[in-house]
Amino acid sequence: MHWCQVVVLGAYLSVSWCTEDWTFPAGFKFGAGTSAYQIEGAWNVSDKGENIWDRFIHSDPRRVSDLSNGDVASDSYHLYETDIEKAAELGLHFYRFSISWSRLLPSGFPNHISEDGKRYYNKLIDGLLAKGIEPMVTLYHWDLPQTLQDLGGWTNPLIANWFADYARVVFRLYGDRVKTWLTINEPLIVCDASYNLGILAPGIRHPDAFYLCNKIVLLAHAKAYRVYEKEFKDKYHGEVSIVNQLLWFEPESEDDVETAELALQYGAGRFSHAIYSKEGGWPPAIEKIIEENSRKMKYSKSIMPAFTQEEIELVRGTYDFYAMNYYTARTVRKAKDDEQLGPWPLKDISDLKIVTGVRPEWPKTVSRIYLVHPPGIRRMLVWLKEHYGDMKFLITENGYPTEGGLDDQDRIEYYQAHLKQLLLAIKEDKINLTHYTAWSLLDNMEWIAGYKHKFGLYEVDFADPQRKRTPRASARYYANVIKANSLNVPMEKVQDSKDEL
C-alpha cells in the first residue's frame, strides 16, 4: 500500500494520490542547478576578467533592487567542496553548473587560458565525479566577458566564432569527464530581456536589436555544436544542446486558440524552429509578421534577419536532446484596436498584438513574474513533441522563489505538482524525458532581484562570512524523492530542522 497524500497548492491545484504508483522510470536522473555569476563570487580573484554583470552593477548599483552584487555571492569559488557535499547529501545524480567565460579566458579570447580558472573547474568536476555525481556543464549563463561586449556583444556577428573558440577550449579541457553540455542558457532572456527591456546586463535598450541577437545566438550555438561534433564527439561521446526558457501560453477563451499557437511559435518556435524542425530557419508565421511590421516602420528589410541557406544548414539538427527551463505560464488573446500593450517579455507580445494575462486561480509567488501553473510544463512538452518530433527531453530548470525560511512548504508543493505532471507526460503522453533539474541547489544572487528572492534547496546565510548552507524542508523532500525514485514518499521525513540531512 502506497503512502497517501493530498497536496493543495493555493486555491487552484488539488492533487491527490493514495493508491497510484508515482514511480519514475528506471534510470531517470534527478539533479539541481546553479550558474557561475550567481554563486561563485571571487569576481576579481587572480586574473579573472570583468564580465557584463560586474560592469552593469558596479557602474550603477541601483539596477539591483536590494543594491547588492555578485562580488561574493554564495562564495562557491572558495566553498565548492561544501557545495559538492550538499549535492551528495541530496543524492543528486547530476549537478548543473556553468563556466564563467571570463574566469577561464580573461580576455574573452583563447590567447590566454587562466591557470587559476582551469584549475577551479577541474577541481569542481573531479570532486563531483568522486561522489558519483555527473557534471552537466553550461558554457554560457549570461556572464559575457566585458571585453566582448565592448565589441558589440551578442549583436556582433563575429561573436558566433568567438563563442566557438571558447567552446573548443572548454571541450578540450573537460570533455574527457563531462558528457552533457549546454551551450547557451535562455536566448529569450539573453536577447529579449536585455535588449527589448534593457533591465539586464548589458543594459542596452534597443528594441530592434533583439531579433539580430536571436539569430546570432542561434549561430553561436550551432558553431559550438559543430566544433564538438567534428572534433570531440567520436573521442568523448558526449551530448550537446541549447537551453530554452519556455512559457506555456494558453488561450484566454475558445476564440483565442490560434492566438495561443502564434504566441507559442513566438516564445518557443523562435528559438527552436531553426534547430529542431526539418525545414530550419524562423517559424514562417512569425517571420512573415515581423517582415510586415518592418515594412510599416519604413525599414528597408525585416528587423528579423533572414537565414541564408548555408546558415539554415549550419543550425538545423544541432542538438542531441531538447533542454527546457520551465517556471510559469500566461493566457493570451488578441489585442483590441488601439489597446495599449506592455513591454515583452515581462508582459504582452506587442509585435504580434497579443495581450498576455493570468488566471485568477493560478497561485502567486513573491515575484510577479512567476505564477504557478504546473499543467503548463506537461503541455509544453507535448507541444514540442508534436512540432519537432519524438526526441529526448531534459528539464534543466524548474523552481519556486520565496523570501526565505527553512520550512518552505510552498516550494515542496510546487515540486510535487510539477513532478506529477512530468510523470503523466512520461506515462500517458510517451514523452522521452530523462532528467529533472531543481533550481536551485543554493540561494544565490538572483540577478536584479539581488538576494531578496530565494530559490535554494539550501538556505545560504549571506550575513555569515562563511556563507553557511542549511537544508530547507524542500531539500529533505527532494532527497527522499531521489532515494525512492518516486513521489510516494513519507512526509514525516520532511521537517523544518537545522540539522544535516
Side-chain angles (χ1 to χ4, degrees):
M1 176 69 102
H2 288 290
W3 170 78
C4 177
Q5 178 186 10
V6 176
V7 175
V8 179
L9 192 57
Y12 164 62
L13 179 67
S14 179
V15 178
S16 174
W17 56 87
C18 294
T19 58
E20 293 183 83
D21 182 7
W22 293 98
T23 301
F24 285 84
F28 190 86
K29 295 182 179 181
F30 294 94
T34 59
S35 83
Y37 182 76
Q38 292 181 276
I39 68 164
E40 284 182 4
W43 80 278
N44 61 352
V45 163
S46 186
D47 55 349
K48 178 186 172 294
E50 182 185 30
N51 69 47
I52 56 174
W53 278 90
D54 297 327
R55 177 71 64 85
F56 181 69
I57 299 176
H58 291 161
S59 62
D60 187 355
R62 295 171 299 176
R63 287 169 164 155
V64 179
S65 62
D66 60 1
L67 305 180
S68 64
N69 57 50
D71 290 2
V72 179
S74 309
D75 202 20
S76 289
Y77 174 85
H78 296 106
L79 300 175
Y80 72 93
E81 291 178 307
T82 304
D83 294 346
I84 294 169
E85 290 172 5
K86 301 311 177 190
E89 286 174 359
L90 289 171
L92 298 185
H93 301 127
F94 67 92
Y95 173 49
R96 179 191 172 195
F97 65 92
S98 74
I99 288 178
S100 166
W101 190 340
S102 58
R103 190 180 299 285
L104 188 63
L105 303 182
S107 70
F109 296 100
N111 61 310
H112 170 57
I113 300 173
S114 168
E115 288 299 319
D116 179 77
K118 181 170 70 173
R119 184 168 50 249
Y120 172 68
Y121 294 112
N122 267 323
K123 291 188 296 186
L124 177 56
I125 290 167
D126 289 343
L128 289 166
L129 290 171
K131 295 287 188 179
I133 301 167
E134 298 174 15
M136 178 186 288
V137 176
T138 309
L139 295 177
Y140 182 75
H141 201 125
W142 306 3
D143 50 353
L144 189 70
Q146 184 61 41
T147 51
L148 303 187
Q149 182 58 47
D150 292 341
L151 297 174
W154 291 108
T155 60
N156 183 340
L158 291 176
I159 199 173
N161 293 326
W162 303 338
F163 183 70
D165 291 341
Y166 160 58
R168 180 179 288 105
V169 171
V170 179
F171 295 150
R172 187 174 68 244
L173 290 174
Y174 309 118
D176 59 330
R177 288 155 290 161
V178 177
K179 303 306 176 185
T180 306
W181 295 98
L182 306 170
T183 55
I184 296 168
N185 185 71
E186 301 180 348
L188 183 146
I189 307 300
V190 172
C191 298
D192 297 27
S194 295
Y195 289 98
N196 199 39
L197 293 175
I199 61 173
L200 302 179
I204 299 172
R205 190 174 186 277
H206 197 303
D208 296 343
F210 76 94
Y211 291 124
L212 173 61
C213 175
N214 291 168
K215 179 182 175 182
I216 293 171
V217 164
L218 289 170
L219 291 173
H221 152 75
K223 290 193 174 189
Y225 182 93
R226 298 303 184 192
V227 166
Y228 191 87
E229 180 183 53
K230 293 174 183 177
E231 302 176 28
F232 299 95
K233 194 167 185 71
D234 287 346
K235 185 177 182 181
Y236 296 135
H237 310 288
E239 295 185 319
V240 183
S241 197
I242 196 169
V243 182
N244 278 314
Q245 154 76 287
L246 302 184
L247 286 79
W248 172 249
F249 293 108
E250 62 183 47
E252 186 174 291
S253 71
E254 293 180 359
D255 297 329
D256 302 308
V257 173
E258 290 183 6
T259 300
E261 175 61 24
L262 197 61
L264 287 165
Q265 289 290 348
Y266 189 80
R270 190 155 40 104
F271 307 105
S272 303
H273 197 85
I275 298 171
Y276 301 96
S277 73
K278 293 181 180 178
E279 61 269 23
W282 301 116
I286 301 302
E287 188 171 30
K288 181 180 178 182
I289 290 171
I290 303 305
E291 185 176 6
E292 291 172 351
N293 291 347
S294 301
R295 189 164 51 248
K296 291 175 184 177
M297 293 187 289
K298 309 300 183 184
Y299 284 97
S300 60
K301 59 179 64 177
S302 176
I303 60 174
M304 175 177 270
F307 286 91
T308 66
Q309 188 59 41
E310 183 181 4
E311 290 169 339
I312 287 173
E313 293 171 3
L314 170 71
V315 177
R316 187 174 52 204
T318 54
Y319 69 93
D320 296 308
F321 52 86
Y322 196 107
M324 181 177 96
N325 297 349
Y326 177 86
Y327 291 91
T328 190
R330 294 292 185 271
T331 60
V332 291
R333 63 171 173 80
K334 265 295 183 186
K336 301 171 185 176
D337 292 342
D338 301 322
E339 186 170 3
Q340 200 71 20
L341 301 181
W344 167 263
L346 281 183
K347 203 172 185 311
D348 307 317
I349 309 176
S350 55
D351 282 354
L352 274 56
K353 295 183 173 55
I354 290 176
V355 175
T356 64
V358 298
R359 301 203 190 281
E361 64 268 23
W362 292 356
K364 296 179 175 62
T365 71
V366 297
S367 168
R368 63 192 176 99
I369 299 172
Y370 300 106
L371 281 293
V372 179
H373 186 49
I377 198 169
R378 177 185 179 186
R379 292 169 185 168
M380 192 74 249
L381 287 167
V382 170
W383 187 90
L384 291 168
K385 180 181 177 180
E386 289 174 347
H387 282 75
Y388 304 119
D390 186 8
M391 59 184 140
K392 181 164 75 171
F393 290 92
L394 280 64
I395 300 300
T396 41
E397 288 183 28
N398 180 233
Y400 183 89
T402 68
E403 291 181 332
L406 296 177
D407 188 19
D408 55 342
Q409 297 301 315
D410 286 350
R411 180 175 288 113
I412 291 173
E413 292 172 2
Y414 181 94
Y415 283 144
Q416 286 174 326
H418 285 79
L419 286 167
K420 185 196 177 200
Q421 291 295 322
L422 293 176
L423 263 177
L424 292 172
I426 292 168
K427 294 182 177 183
E428 297 186 7
D429 305 316
K430 308 305 179 186
I431 300 293
N432 181 19
L433 179 69
T434 61
H435 292 62
Y436 174 82
T437 313
W439 188 269
S440 61
L441 179 66
L442 310 169
D443 287 341
N444 55 38
M445 203 287 174
E446 191 52 38
W447 311 111
I448 59 172
Y451 299 96
K452 291 171 62 177
H453 294 166
K454 319 288 188 180
F455 278 89
L457 291 161
Y458 284 82
E459 175 190 75
V460 176
D461 183 355
F462 293 104
D464 177 9
Q466 300 303 313
R467 296 299 196 266
K468 182 181 179 183
R469 283 96 156 109
T470 305
R472 291 193 164 98
S474 58
R476 299 176 181 283
Y477 168 74
Y478 195 46
N480 278 282
V481 169
I482 295 170
K483 185 177 181 180
N485 195 42
S486 173
L487 299 181
N488 301 109
V489 298
M491 290 298 288
E492 60 264 22
K493 290 186 178 181
V494 179
Q495 56 186 342
D496 180 12
S497 170
K498 295 185 179 181
D499 297 332
E500 294 300 313
L501 287 183

